[in-house]
Amino acid sequence: MIVNGVERPRPGSARRLLSDYLRHDLGLTGTHVGCEHGVCGCCTVLMDGRPVRSCLMLGVQAEGHQVTTIEGLAPSNEALHPVQQAFKECHGLQCGFCTPGFVLAIAGLLAENPSPSEQEIEEGIAGNLCRCTGYASIRRAVFRAVELSGGSRPE
Amino acid sequence: MTTRWFGERVLRSEDERLLRGRGRYTDDLGEGALEGCFVRSPYAHARVVFVDVEAARRAPGVRAVYTAADLPFGEMDLPLLIPHPALTQGRTQRCLASRIVRYAGEAVAFVVAEDRYLAEDAADLVEVEYEPLPVVANLEAAAGAERLVHPDVPGNVAAELTQDAGDVEAALEASPRRRRLRLRYERGAAQPMEGRAVWARWDAGERRLTVYDSTQSPTSIRGGLAVLFDLPETSVEVIAPDVGGAFGPKIMLFYPDELLVPHAAMQLGRPVKWTEDRREHFTAVNHERAQLHEVEVGYDDEGRIQGLDVDFVHDAGAYTPYGLILPIITAAQLPGPYRVPAYRVRFRDLYTNLTPTSPYRGAGRPQACFVIERVMDSIAAELGLERAEVRRRNFIQPDQFPYDTGLSWQDGSRAVYDSGDYPRLLEECLRLLGPRPAGDNVGMGLGVYVEGTGVGPYEGAHVQVLVSGKVVASTAVPSQGQGHATVFAQVVADALGVDVADVEVHGGDTRRLQWGVGTFASRSAVMAGNAMHVAAGLVAEKAKRIASEQLEVDSADLELAGGEVRVRGTPDRAIPLSTLAVLSNPLRYAFGGGAEMATQFTPKPRQGPPLERGEQPGLEATGYYSPPGSAWASGAHAAYVHVDPDTYRLEILRYVAVHDCGRVINPLILEGQVQGGVAQGIGGAFYERLAYDEEGQLRNASFMEFLMPYSTEVPELVIGHLETPSPLNPLGVKGAGEAGVIPVGAVVASAVEDALGIPVTEMPLSPLRLFDLDRLRAGRPR
Ligand code: FES
Ligand code: FES
């Protein structure tokens, strides 16, 4: 599989979760594990551009796919991805544990639909839990990300 | 000093790293460590007949399996953290249970293997035979005392305590009106998104133990480990790296893993790590909140309280490691912002066969606020008064501070409110709330609270100007997302006249500062914030002393600004802090980077030793802050809600939070704390219920069934600030971390009652519960 643009060997064991493979075999620890049962969204990564929950997949299931983790999202060491930038400007994170999952879910959403409606934004983040922020700043960050990536902001 | 950063909406310095996935949470560290996994009791109360670990020991990749019998400290009761004279029947658990288990989730064995998968495989092979015992599954069963959690604790009563201020019986007797209420609050759970985790490494050569722990108090863990393992405390290092939320229960010494992981690392000579999974978090990590209150209130025809008599029971869970802090806080905070001329409160702390309890954001206050605000609403209903008006008539007035409640506080001192303006809070809150939206089944809810924040004993900070001119500031309190690195940098930057971006803050690492207490009780901004202010002030003084000698100007004529010390009114006569940092350390060897300035033949010759008497090298200082008493924050929340009459779904139409935490260091971060606290409060008021059955089994131990709010359940708050500075500390700040959560139960109860006309006497509510209550009211129970 290709992870953040780099070809990676298949997981050593068939039962290895994709989340464990990324975190512990590849050292990409920005992918977080909050529940390991598919509800919190902390482990969200992009597979072929689409958000998936890496705790619900085996590593071997990602074979032949392109995986993007939070480490691979920003274009460079200097610049952030618009969603990351928006989170920073809007205080969209506190402890930061849920953050990579939210950022990737939103990045996936905006890649598919650069000018989402308010309803589409609400749905886009409705599968991720955050226990710190109370979500208001995350919603603001999505609006800001739409702006930063050149989409038109919902009225 | 020109204050520049204090009060600004400075963006967080933590964020870039966290946004790039470069956070360092405990489970991100220690690749290659052995990994642990627990075997936990499935029973809430049982005798352990035998534990057979032989098969597990032989399983592939297993390096050790521990039971109580294998541990040198296996027969030791874990410490009772906060002893209290009234806690006559305190009980704590052992690291691993060997004879009796007293809650489902109590640890019985610990497996260490090459990786987590192998450890879990082996844990499945551990055979434990249990003989179930009768279970005390709730407060009623505990109070009934037909079954005992600890056979030697009569009535399941860990402690009983009565406090009074004024003659309550005479006051009730003399009151024209009296009312009784029975109010219930159920168990809740903090559920930070990161579970707990511990990683330990033992350096046998240096005899040094290093532990990374997702804890709120690394200094205490360090002290405890040094005692337990008989090591000099100077050879034990404990670090709380990035912590993915905590909200209270990550401060407990010790959870079994906090001993077993270091023990295994020392014994096996390899780093060992344990990372909790969500399922075990539900029962292995402390809960809070369950209380049952019997209240009698006496008041006059104007709605003014004359006397308040409260008798409540608190669900301790199976053990009392945290002492009586929770019921003590509830008891002391129950009168809240109101004048209660005569108050008596008795509580009993009762054992149940459930997970132990310790503070969870709010810590006894959501219950206290719920009780007193229900009392206020019931007085209003009885007298036909506006709910806000009853509160106005009972408020402590702004000219009554400091206000002595006559009650004893959680640190043993008297609870004396330092400052506040409750009438203004309420008026501002109502103003922001605006008119009631049109429509049926819409209700208005109201809740006012006070919160004793920033308890001692003390906190410290070390501030150092590097030879580059950058500043490093360290404190023992760790951050779990509250933005310490930003707000403390603001405080230090002001004192040193530098840019906030030039201050790097470290927290929760005993290698950087070994003295301190921890992050809890909304105390970090008050305690560590003021310690930063003190330490940075000492550094500023020292910088002026050195500069005054160099510039031959009196210290009093110098100021720190723009990264330099300069002569007031003559800004071109200045020395950069970087130069002063070099000069602060007299040298023999010039090692580059401008160090030659400080070597022995370079500076102006002067009398006496190179390092002046009493002076220390380095442009650095350590400062401490120890408070004379708690700083009392306060707030008023109000909401309009709509409850669907068919589905009983709750929709929050508007939610206003006005709060007063003294001077505000960073409004951006503060608003985040309030919004997040309210979200947690909404969860605890309407969605989250720990569903224990009669056997003491938690039936909803997953995020599928324990419903925490998503974005769809949490509205954007309208937030208002009021600042009555605390006179007790130099910065004038009060704590803000817990505030948001405190009144939400009271507000939701008040609003739902108003919307549906159903009397609300319990928390949490849920659509199903409202359906039942509505049926009951209509005389048609389900
Ligand atoms: S960790 Fe995968 S959804 Fe929670
Ligand atoms: S920022 Fe802590 S869980 Fe979202």
Side-chain angles (χ1 to χ4, degrees):
Chain A
M1 77 186 84
I2 313 276
V3 181
N4 299 335
V6 179
E7 170 102 49
R8 296 292 198 162
R10 68 186 279 127
S13 137
R15 65 171 176 167
R16 198 117 174 109
L17 294 177
L18 178 57
S19 52
D20 285 338
Y21 172 73
L22 293 170
R23 288 177 52 74
H24 301 304
D25 295 346
L26 304 187
L28 297 169
T29 53
T31 301
H32 296 156
V33 174
C35 71
E36 256 183 341
H37 52 257
V39 184
C40 72
C42 289
C43 65
T44 303
V45 298
L46 299 179
M47 193 162 84
D48 304 326
R50 284 249 165 83
V52 295
R53 310 213 148 177
S54 60
C55 77
L56 289 185
M57 287 180 63
L58 297 170
V60 290
Q61 289 176 289
E63 282 285 86
H65 294 278
Q66 299 259 0
V67 175
T68 306
T69 71
I70 191 72
E71 291 89 345
L73 192 65
S76 71
N77 264 333
E78 289 70 46
L80 291 171
H81 182 278
V83 179
Q84 291 169 317
Q85 181 65 30
F87 265 66
K88 185 174 166 176
E89 289 175 18
C90 301
H91 187 26
L93 62 153
Q94 290 182 21
C95 78
F97 200 79
C98 70
T99 310
F102 269 98
V103 167
L104 286 163
I106 297 161
L109 170 76
L110 298 189
E112 202 162 281
N113 178 3
S115 303
S117 67
E118 202 162 342
Q119 180 67 24
E120 286 165 330
I121 289 174
E122 199 55 83
E123 279 165 17
I125 59 170
N128 289 64
L129 282 171
C130 171
R131 198 56 163 167
C132 298
T133 62
Y135 303 105
S137 60
I138 294 180
R139 291 189 294 255
R140 281 195 289 273
V142 185
F143 293 133
R144 178 71 183 133
V146 169
E147 232 166 53
L148 285 173
S149 44
S152 56
R153 213 184 145 127
E155 289 312 311
Chain B
M1 176 180 116
T2 45
T3 298
R4 238 182 94 212
W5 298 105
F6 196 108
E8 291 298 315
R9 304 176 78 87
V10 177
L11 291 182
R12 301 201 328 165
S13 59
E14 310 56 0
D15 288 358
E16 171 114 6
R17 193 170 59 78
L18 298 175
L19 281 163
R20 286 181 181 271
R22 293 183 190 153
R24 295 174 82 248
Y25 304 86
T26 302
D27 185 54
D28 300 346
L29 310 172
E31 217 38 73
L34 298 173
E35 291 199 75
C37 170
F38 278 99
V39 176
R40 297 182 183 277
S41 169
Y43 290 97
H45 198 190
R47 200 180 315 284
V48 179
V49 182
F50 69 80
V51 185
D52 181 355
V53 298
E54 283 319 309
R57 284 202 171 119
R58 287 193 308 268
V62 171
R63 293 294 160 256
V65 182
Y66 298 99
T67 64
D70 304 306
L71 301 172
F73 46 87
E75 292 291 305
M76 187 190 86
D77 292 334
L78 296 181
L80 201 162
L81 301 175
I82 311 177
H84 188 284
L87 183 54
T88 52
Q89 304 288 349
R91 296 288 182 276
T92 57
Q93 71 187 76
R94 301 202 168 155
C95 189
L96 294 171
S98 60
R99 287 189 274 280
I100 306 274
V101 287
R102 291 195 174 81
Y103 63 95
E106 190 165 351
V108 176
F110 186 63
V111 179
V112 179
E114 286 296 329
D115 73 25
R116 177 63 179 243
Y117 288 67
L118 297 171
E120 289 191 23
D121 289 346
D124 279 346
L125 301 175
V126 172
E127 226 183 295
V128 189
E129 188 177 315
Y130 299 94
E131 191 182 297
L133 293 167
V135 173
V136 178
N138 52 50
L139 272 171
E140 280 84 355
E146 277 166 28
R147 302 157 165 199
L148 294 180
V149 176
H150 298 274
D152 58 342
V153 177
N156 291 315
V157 180
E160 178 176 335
L161 192 65
T162 302
Q163 284 204 64
D164 40 24
D167 183 346
V168 82
E169 296 196 8
L172 288 175
E173 208 52 55
S175 294
R177 292 165 180 269
R178 285 162 84 159
R179 244 182 115 65
R180 283 174 183 277
L181 287 91
R182 183 181 163 85
L183 300 164
R184 167 193 296 276
Y185 221 104
E186 287 188 27
R187 277 189 171 230
Q191 298 292 343
M193 295 314 299
E194 180 209 29
R196 297 186 46 261
V198 182
W199 168 52
R201 167 176 81 197
W202 168 244
D203 185 326
E206 290 189 15
R207 296 192 55 76
R208 177 175 298 274
L209 178 65
T210 305
V211 178
Y212 284 76
D213 187 345
S214 174
T215 177
Q216 296 170 233
S217 180
T219 49
S220 315
I221 297 283
R222 169 178 179 261
L225 291 178
V227 170
L228 184 77
F229 297 126
D230 194 21
L231 291 167
E233 53 268 44
T234 43
S235 298
V236 181
E237 302 163 339
V238 179
I239 300 112
D242 287 320
V243 176
F247 314 113
K250 286 188 181 173
I251 191 163
M252 229 295 278
L253 356 164
F254 293 92
Y255 285 109
D257 44 272
E258 290 175 313
L259 302 181
L260 287 164
V261 171
H263 175 70
M266 292 171 77
Q267 225 202 14
L268 302 173
R270 296 218 2 222
V272 177
K273 181 163 80 175
W274 166 79
T275 305
E276 186 177 66
D277 70 27
R278 185 56 56 179
R279 199 172 60 142
E280 63 185 335
H281 181 96
F282 266 96
T283 55
V285 167
N286 294 353
H287 303 154
E288 207 222 291
R289 302 269 203 264
Q291 292 180 351
L292 195 54
H293 287 245
E294 304 280 354
V295 184
E296 183 168 15
V297 59
Y299 53 100
D300 65 17
D301 295 329
E302 267 70 61
R304 289 193 180 85
I305 292 185
Q306 307 298 312
L308 182 67
D309 195 9
V310 179
D311 191 348
F312 75 95
V313 286
H314 174 84
D315 173 3
Y319 302 99
T320 49
Y322 221 85
L324 299 178
I325 289 298
L326 290 165
I328 285 177
I329 293 177
T330 305
Q333 293 235 213
L334 206 139
Y338 308 111
R339 262 172 301 140
V340 177
Y343 173 53
R344 177 171 64 189
V345 58
R346 174 179 88 125
F347 69 74
R348 284 171 301 146
D349 194 24
L350 301 182
Y351 286 112
T352 55
N353 287 117
L354 306 176
T355 297
T357 58
S358 67
Y360 156 37
R361 198 179 203 170
R365 299 174 185 88
Q367 303 93 311
C369 182
F370 174 70
V371 170
I372 193 69
E373 294 298 287
R374 293 280 68 207
V375 167
M376 288 293 157
D377 283 356
S378 80
I379 293 174
E382 191 67 17
L383 295 176
L385 288 169
E386 279 289 317
R387 284 171 288 170
E389 182 55 27
V390 174
R391 285 160 173 89
R392 273 183 208 114
R393 292 180 185 180
N394 283 285
F395 275 144
I396 295 162
Q397 295 301 307
D399 59 4
Q400 289 181 294
F401 293 95
Y403 183 85
D404 187 346
T405 62
L407 300 166
S408 78
W409 182 225
Q410 59 159 316
D411 56 3
S413 71
R414 266 282 255 261
V416 179
Y417 300 173
D418 59 333
S419 62
D421 188 342
Y422 310 142
R424 239 173 86 206
L425 274 178
L426 178 64
E427 298 319 320
E428 178 64 2
C429 183
L430 295 173
R431 187 184 72 78
L432 291 172
L433 184 67
R436 179 186 283 258
D440 292 338
N441 302 301
V442 169
M444 191 274 263
L446 188 58
V448 191
Y449 66 92
V450 295
E451 181 196 0
T453 72
V455 295
Y458 78 93
E459 216 51 74
H462 175 258
V463 173
Q464 178 172 1
V465 180
L466 306 179
V467 293
S468 63
K470 303 250 190 232
V471 181
V472 174
S474 307
T475 172
V477 303
S479 174
Q480 302 95 39
Q482 303 92 328
H484 291 178
T486 306
V487 293
F488 296 157
Q490 289 177 255
V491 170
V492 170
D494 278 348
L496 294 179
V498 299
D499 192 288
V500 75
D502 287 333
V503 184
E504 181 181 301
V505 175
H506 296 270
D509 183 340
T510 63
R511 296 170 304 187
R512 289 182 180 269
L513 189 68
Q514 61 168 326
W515 305 114
V517 187
T519 302
F520 58 94
S522 300
R523 70 193 293 280
S524 296
V526 181
M527 305 301 303
N530 278 292
M532 287 283 175
H533 177 72
V534 172
L538 293 171
V539 172
E541 285 311 310
K542 187 166 185 178
K544 284 188 198 171
R545 280 202 300 278
I546 303 167
S548 115
E549 193 169 301
Q550 297 295 316
L551 296 169
E552 294 175 331
V553 179
D554 193 283
S555 267
D557 297 326
L558 296 172
E559 63 179 7
L560 280 78
E564 331 178 296
V565 177
R566 61 193 186 198
V567 181
R568 248 182 254 279
T570 325
D572 50 337
R573 288 191 64 200
I575 308 186
L577 285 177
S578 53
T579 307
L580 294 170
V582 173
L583 293 173
S584 70
N585 179 27
L587 290 172
R588 185 170 177 89
Y589 309 110
F591 45 69
E596 60 283 356
M597 251 187 312
T599 51
Q600 52 203 14
F601 300 107
T602 319
K604 288 195 303 290
R606 79 174 159 72
Q607 295 302 304
L611 195 60
E612 266 198 272
R613 243 184 124 82
E615 197 64 280
Q616 292 178 353
L619 190 45
E620 63 168 330
T622 305
Y624 296 91
Y625 172 70
S626 184
S630 279
W632 290 77
S634 54
H637 290 198
Y640 290 123
V641 308
H642 173 256
V643 184
D644 186 297
D646 297 321
T647 63
Y648 296 94
R649 271 183 51 134
L650 175 79
E651 192 191 349
I652 298 175
L653 306 172
R654 188 171 175 84
Y655 197 108
V656 176
V658 179
H659 74 112
D660 177 357
C661 60
R663 291 184 70 204
V664 176
I665 306 175
N666 184 326
L668 184 73
I669 285 175
L670 176 61
E671 285 159 16
Q673 288 294 312
V674 175
Q675 173 83 32
V678 170
Q680 228 164 8
I682 290 171
F686 205 76
Y687 300 97
E688 300 162 14
R689 172 189 293 264
L690 289 171
Y692 274 103
D693 67 13
E694 289 297 310
E695 295 304 314
Q697 295 294 328
L698 183 57
R699 306 312 299 243
N700 62 341
S702 88
F703 285 164
M704 301 280 266
E705 293 143 311
F706 179 83
L707 303 177
M708 302 193 334
Y710 286 94
S711 175
T712 34
E713 280 73 48
V714 185
E716 168 126 24
L717 307 190
V718 179
I719 297 177
H721 300 285
L722 189 71
E723 294 195 18
T724 58
S726 173
L728 301 182
N729 64 72
L731 296 176
V733 297
K734 304 173 182 179
E738 295 170 272
V741 88
I742 295 172
V744 185
V747 171
V748 170
S750 180
V752 167
E753 187 172 282
D754 190 37
L756 297 180
I758 305 174
V760 174
T761 57
E762 63 192 52
M763 268 290 129
L765 299 170
S766 65
L768 186 61
R769 188 63 191 145
L770 287 182
F771 171 77
D772 283 344
L773 289 172
D774 212 6
R775 287 277 177 145
L776 270 176
R777 180 189 55 160
R780 288 178 294 144
R782 184 154 56 117

